[in-house]
Amino acid sequence: MEKKEYNHPVSLRNIQITDDFWKNEMELVRKEIIPYQWEALNDRVEGAEPSFCMRNFKVAGRQNQERRDKGDAFEEPAYTFRGFQALPEDMEHLEDKFYGFVFQDSDFYKWVESVAYSLTAHPDAELEKLADEAIDIVCAAQQEDGYLDTYYIINGKDKIFSNLRDHHELYCFGHLAEGAVAYYEATGKDKLLKAAMRFADYIDNYFGAEEGKCKGYPGHEIAEMALVRLYEVTGEEKYLNLSSFFVEERGKRPYYYDGEKHPEKIEKGKENELRYHYHQAHVPVREQDEAVGHAVRGVYLYSGMADLARLKEDDSLYDACEKLWDSIVNEKMYVTGGIGGTHIGESFSFPFDLPNDTAYAETCASIGLVFFARRMLQMKPLGKYADVMELALYNGILSGMALDGKSFFYVNPLEVLPKACHLDERKWHVKPVRQKWFGCACCPPNLARLLSSIGMYAYTEKEDTLYIHLYMGSSVKKEIHGQTADISVASGYPWNGDVHVSVTGCFAEFTVALRIPGWCKEYQVEGISDAKTEEKDGYLYITKSWSEGESISLHFPMEIRVLEADTRVREDVGKAAVMRGPVVYCLEEVDNGENLSLLSLSADGELEECSLEIAGTYVKAVKAEGFREESVENGTGLYQEYHKKKKVPVILQYIPYYTWANRGENEMQVWTRVE
Amino acid sequence: MEKKEYNHPVSLRNIQITDDFWKNEMELVRKEIIPYQWEALNDRVEGAEPSFCMRNFKVAGRQNQERRDKGDAFEEPAYTFRGFQALPEDMEHLEDKFYGFVFQDSDFYKWVESVAYSLTAHPDAELEKLADEAIDIVCAAQQEDGYLDTYYIINGKDKIFSNLRDHHELYCFGHLAEGAVAYYEATGKDKLLKAAMRFADYIDNYFGAEEGKCKGYPGHEIAEMALVRLYEVTGEEKYLNLSSFFVEERGKRPYYYDGEKHPEKIEKGKENELRYHYHQAHVPVREQDEAVGHAVRGVYLYSGMADLARLKEDDSLYDACEKLWDSIVNEKMYVTGGIGGTHIGESFSFPFDLPNDTAYAETCASIGLVFFARRMLQMKPLGKYADVMELALYNGILSGMALDGKSFFYVNPLEVLPKACHLDERKWHVKPVRQKWFGCACCPPNLARLLSSIGMYAYTEKEDTLYIHLYMGSSVKKEIHGQTADISVASGYPWNGDVHVSVTGCFAEFTVALRIPGWCKEYQVEGISDAKTEEKDGYLYITKSWSEGESISLHFPMEIRVLEADTRVREDVGKAAVMRGPVVYCLEEVDNGENLSLLSLSADGELEECSLEIAGTYVKAVKAEGFREESVENGTGLYQEYHKKKKVPVILQYIPYYTWANRGENEMQVWTRVE
């Protein structure tokens, strides 16, 4: 790993997404999610649990002012909050206290981050004004010492950082920093950024390796990568070092969390391993070689580790990242790019334990996997990282949002029988239809911030090279020896694999590194006769001096593929999944009738693509030859002598996995028996 | 349903079991379980959680005496117990308070019931003396008013019957009555029976339809059938009526339990249905047509309902029983006779939801199903009831105990990957090896009382008919018009289907009704040339005057059968199970190698029986032609292009399901893919 290899995301200010597919997703964020979420943050969504988010900031700000007015002394209200505070009957008569989850502040930070990205792509003075005013409210809650978490400001600051494991102060800070950097980069306004820095300084004074400082670290990771981002925009080394401290401290013994008082009882004999695994704090990070615990926390940590490995040129930390990457991708990832095999602790399960119908596969976890992948790509541009990024994006992440952008999945199962979701408590986490919003609203805003910043994942650059990791209609500006190259990409992704890249405005030689998707066996390329080319690690490096308007064309044939799983994935033995290009397909009851478990895919059968309209959206679907096995329902006993079943040839109608559950509640299945 | 049809169990005093198979099981109860359990009841088993059972009786008895000595007034200690009280560090310094589960008293009652049955088959003066002394200790704890539950006697009687839903006073009473009746019938000693009657009288004064009486009913059913048993041995109508009151009151609205204060919080929106379903209290019993909730509670209730239907000649109650029976057998029963598809609430899941690897299938629930079946048989001798009784006995019940009688399963899964049981919290209820004892010790003593009274399920009689429901080497005495017929049965069950019945000591005409197993397609019978015979509802009725020593012979060919499940059982689609006679078979890793999911059974292949020794026991095993699919483990990614798998022909070694997990921890599977 040599530093010269490093690349970094292209600023969103230099990217314009023009693509039908992704532009549509970004417009859903802009037109649907951001306005809706603003209403949610202000408790104005009828029928939804109130967020209390902006309300808490206002209360904290007012108390702040009152305290300033009368001098200093803090009131110390009764200290009874933890988890969600039940909704009061009457919103009008709320007391001036903290309501909602302990991490409620982060809702605003995620919102403002999405707003920032959206403003970059689509300036909107009204939205910016709204955000500025909201930032004023948030900043008014900040304490004079820089501390900013309304839960503790309202409930009593004497208890700050007393429960790092379960409370989310450092998590909220992380989102504050992410949002503040994004808003600064989008608008040049630094009020929120300064607030984030002041809080970061406060935290830096509180935590650290130096004697007398607290040796704790976040229970829910994100501050690690957020501090790096703050460092990258401010140049303040202390933020980088604080991030490093949090990462290095994790998992040391004696466990820091043992010194905290936690309200719940832990089952005897399970005090240690399980609880610490959940937080990835079971051993120091360099000794971690299996992805365990809460999946979102995991990939957030690994993302921060990758940032640090890059910036500190730390090979052993990179090695740990690579082991964790392999653990996920080779043992713990669904074919959709979903991660988290169990809802218990929203966690990774043991290797190869990837049940389809009880999957957790949280939208946020796949988003975090994209964060992790991009950071690995920054160090080593290997196609395998971008392949996973692409897989997660087009499947396990997009499935998190309805085609109209109005409802969301937290959990993305690979097999659903709606009846089971309603009647079987083991599957209550699996919803057969998307929901409007969540009390614990992490997935929709996380989707919003990812989709509206998709360009930061499509492109990275270094001095003389532009990496194109994801194909989408877009144009990118890149400085090359004082000239501004304007690189345009046109693509039929994800429905066809034609890619055209053209350059204007620059005559100097530079390199475009085009990713060759792992799913593509053979590709064609045109327009490179005068170029130096090299294919390496899943990228085609094309180095040339570009004539004005000259273009190169790539074609990645999107054949329909039938996939099998490692046979250690017990639930998929004897089954197959269908993909085409980056898109995973599934069967839905509405197309294929009920009892999907009776269907099988013909191993020798024809597969052909077709166009299909799903809830107003046209997609490429797949028709496949298969069979429907006769059903045996005799009503007078469950078991009878085995007989060879009649199998009626049928045409299986596959649809893109991410479009499922857009036509009402019905059965769905990704892995189908094959014969 | 006409009363003349009714039959009743033959007294154990008139049955001698001589069978190799069942005598062995009874001897394990006598030699292993009863002595071990006595040690457990007295907290003398090293490494096991103490039971505190006898200790609580002693403490209650001593406090009782002290109260008597000083007059009356109760002390009212702090009222802090619920569920299991954590084990004190030092047994020597226990305070005089209640320890253990609220239902700890029942451990003794179950023990004494097993002792009673064992004494009947195998008189043992020393054991009887031990039981008598223990009964003295128990009876000393009884209050002067008849109340007898040490949890409330020790903690304060002002709270009795205040939490019928969760506490187990009426459950403990039910076991007291069952144990007391059994001990009286075995020994003629009535001390414990009188104690049970005094407590029953107390309960009868407290609960009832009359104004001013409490309208509650047991949270954990058993009192319903126990009161019937008490009625049958005492002739006291009030006990029958109290049972009827409990059954009829259940599920009425407003819900009785709503008037109780329960400590736990119930999730909003789920207050009613789920909690009441758990207790089968969601609607009145006559409106229940689906078996729901805690499976053991369910079948205990249905057993009581069947008793009442018979004794009260209540057709509508019988109809309810029949609907519930059908619900279980046609929609909710594993092929092993296991019931309870989910560990959540140890409950029935929704129809056809019978997952193999997360099954609950509690040993006690299958035992309760046998109770229910026997009672249905008493009303209508239909082969279908005895078929289920037989199925549960030879499979889902016997699997609950190791071949050496020294360890036990609570949960009887149909598929086990040991790694998953250790690493996946969703399967923590599934144990890959049997355990020595349980803190909540319901299954081992329940097994003990069933196995040692097996004759009460093998035979029922009415005036001129002896029903033989289960075949085992045994002899039965039956009074026929003043003569004592001695009916001997010899049988090779469960390994061969030869049955010989001979009669001595009686020349009068009477009927022997021999069950024709549902699994038997064609049978042969000899020695009936001079008899009136009728085949009806799964029984062959042979009526004749028996010459001394004359015998009839039946032969039920035990062919190996390959079974399929109703295709609505999603987990079993494309799979088959193997049976031979009443025995269900399974594959174990120790015989078939790891990754059992890669094996398949050849639909056209040969199946042949063979003898096999398992942990010192010889059984009939089955060898079957099948295949092992090539494993795909490439280590560099979970998914790859599908290819037709090589399948190596293998001989699958099937063993009786009940003998699994006697050769160390390993994979097991009942349902195997078939092709």
Side-chain angles (χ1 to χ4, degrees), chain B residues 255-466:
Chain B
Y255 292 116
Y256 175 78
Y257 299 146
D258 285 346
E260 297 186 329
K261 285 202 180 92
H262 299 115
E264 82 279 41
K265 279 182 207 155
I266 307 235
E267 211 177 321
K268 225 179 156 182
K270 294 177 191 164
E271 298 87 346
N272 291 323
E273 299 317 318
L274 288 169
R275 289 299 297 177
Y276 296 111
H277 276 81
Y278 175 81
H279 302 272
Q280 296 80 40
H282 51 301
V283 290
V285 297
R286 280 158 221 275
E287 294 167 32
Q288 297 187 21
D289 54 8
E290 183 184 344
V292 298
H294 187 266
V296 173
R297 292 173 205 233
V299 284
Y300 279 18
L301 169 65
Y302 311 151
S303 298
M305 286 164 63
D307 278 334
L308 288 167
R310 172 172 51 87
L311 291 167
K312 298 226 164 212
E313 298 187 63
D314 185 331
D315 287 349
S316 70
L317 200 55
Y318 175 80
D319 290 345
C321 289
E322 206 170 34
K323 277 182 201 152
L324 291 161
W325 176 271
D326 287 345
S327 165
I328 294 173
V329 171
N330 297 338
E331 301 184 342
K332 301 197 175 191
M333 185 180 75
Y334 287 95
V335 71
T336 54
I339 53 174
T342 175
H343 69 287
I344 296 176
E346 307 181 320
S347 288
F348 291 106
S349 190
F350 63 92
F352 308 104
D353 189 43
L354 294 164
N356 294 310
D357 60 346
T358 56
Y360 204 69
E362 185 180 338
T363 308
C364 287
S366 290
I367 290 171
L369 183 59
V370 167
F371 296 163
F372 185 25
R374 212 274 317 279
R375 285 161 174 82
M376 294 303 277
L377 275 174
Q378 286 181 245
M379 284 185 281
K380 289 198 184 173
L382 307 180
K384 67 176 187 179
Y385 297 128
D387 284 342
V388 166
M389 196 160 78
E390 181 181 276
L391 183 76
L393 271 170
Y394 284 101
N395 302 290
I397 292 172
L398 278 190
S399 61
M401 182 164 81
L403 291 173
D404 65 4
K406 291 182 178 173
S407 58
F408 305 90
F409 277 139
Y410 205 98
V411 166
N412 296 278
L414 280 78
E415 185 177 316
V416 167
L417 181 75
K419 195 176 6 180
C421 304
H422 299 305
L423 298 175
D424 183 357
E425 199 170 328
R426 291 168 294 192
K427 291 176 186 153
W428 277 355
H429 62 289
V430 178
K431 305 295 174 202
V433 288
R434 292 179 183 82
Q435 299 174 274
K436 269 203 93 58
W437 202 255
F438 305 92
C440 171
C442 63
C443 293
N446 232 347
L447 265 167
R449 65 193 190 111
L450 177 73
L451 297 177
S452 54
S453 62
I454 191 71
M456 287 166 64
Y457 302 89
Y459 297 101
T460 61
E461 62 180 327
K462 56 182 183 176
E463 197 178 359
D464 55 355
T465 306
L466 178 75

Side-chain angles (χ1 to χ4, degrees), chain B residues 615-634:
Chain B
T617 300
Y618 282 87
V619 300
K620 282 270 190 240
V622 170
K623 287 187 184 296
E625 291 184 346
F627 306 96
R628 175 174 277 274
E629 189 172 301
E630 114 192 59
S631 67
V632 177
E633 304 184 1
N634 58 31

Side-chain angles (χ1 to χ4, degrees), chain A residues 367-651:
Chain A
I367 290 171
L369 182 59
V370 168
F371 297 163
F372 184 25
R374 211 275 316 281
R375 284 159 174 82
M376 293 303 278
L377 275 173
Q378 286 181 247
M379 285 185 280
K380 289 197 184 174
L382 308 180
K384 67 174 187 178
Y385 298 129
D387 284 342
V388 167
M389 198 162 76
E390 179 182 276
L391 183 77
L393 270 170
Y394 284 102
N395 302 290
I397 292 172
L398 277 189
S399 61
M401 183 164 81
L403 292 171
D404 65 4
K406 292 183 177 171
S407 57
F408 305 90
F409 276 139
Y410 204 99
V411 167
N412 297 277
L414 280 78
E415 184 177 316
V416 167
L417 180 76
K419 194 176 6 180
C421 304
H422 299 306
L423 297 176
D424 184 356
E425 199 169 327
R426 290 168 296 192
K427 292 176 185 153
W428 277 355
H429 62 289
V430 178
K431 305 295 174 202
V433 290
R434 292 179 184 80
Q435 298 174 275
K436 270 202 94 58
W437 201 254
F438 305 91
C440 170
C442 63
C443 294
N446 232 349
L447 265 167
R449 68 193 188 109
L450 177 73
L451 297 177
S452 55
S453 62
I454 190 72
M456 288 166 63
Y457 302 88
Y459 298 101
T460 61
E461 62 180 326
K462 55 183 183 175
E463 198 177 359
D464 55 356
T465 306
L466 179 74
Y467 289 93
I468 309 184
H469 305 294
L470 303 171
Y471 295 111
M472 59 188 69
S474 51
S475 62
V476 179
K477 288 191 199 310
K478 175 163 175 54
E479 295 300 307
I480 307 283
H481 306 306
Q483 299 177 341
T484 301
D486 205 323
I487 301 115
S488 283
V489 177
S491 149
Y493 242 70
W495 309 127
N496 78 58
D498 293 329
V499 173
H500 305 282
V501 178
S502 60
V503 176
T504 55
C506 172
F507 303 95
E509 181 177 283
F510 71 100
T511 302
V512 176
L514 294 139
R515 173 173 154 265
I516 302 158
W519 48 261
C520 177
K521 276 182 237 162
E522 278 185 86
Y523 64 95
Q524 291 90 47
V525 58
E526 286 169 32
I528 55 168
S529 52
D530 59 343
K532 284 173 282 186
T533 63
E534 184 188 16
E535 190 180 328
K536 188 182 157 197
D537 295 334
Y539 285 82
L540 177 65
Y541 290 82
I542 299 175
T543 306
K544 58 180 278 184
S545 304
W546 301 76
S547 312
E548 186 72 13
E550 195 184 10
S551 76
I552 50 175
S553 295
L554 285 114
H555 178 63
F556 307 114
M558 284 192 180
E559 285 157 20
I560 301 165
R561 287 165 296 134
V562 177
L563 299 188
E564 64 186 19
D566 188 300
T567 47
R568 286 168 292 187
V569 182
R570 298 180 313 289
E571 288 78 0
D572 298 343
V573 168
K575 295 180 177 177
V578 170
M579 286 190 76
R580 183 179 174 280
V583 176
V584 175
Y585 284 78
C586 69
L587 300 174
E588 263 197 322
E589 180 183 351
V590 65
D591 301 311
N592 298 282
E594 62 172 5
N595 294 337
L596 297 180
S597 59
L598 293 178
L599 297 175
S600 56
L601 176 67
S602 166
D604 308 312
E606 295 283 315
L607 296 138
E608 64 180 41
E609 63 185 62
C610 58
S611 286
L612 194 72
E613 183 250 307
I614 294 179
T617 299
Y618 282 88
V619 300
K620 284 270 189 240
V622 170
K623 287 188 185 294
E625 290 183 347
F627 305 95
R628 176 174 277 276
E629 188 172 303
E630 115 192 56
S631 68
V632 177
E633 304 184 0
N634 58 29
T636 57
L638 280 165
Y639 309 102
Q640 60 173 26
E641 201 114 333
Y642 175 79
H643 72 292
K644 281 208 177 176
K645 305 291 181 304
K646 283 186 225 106
K647 292 187 179 179
V648 183
V650 293
I651 299 298

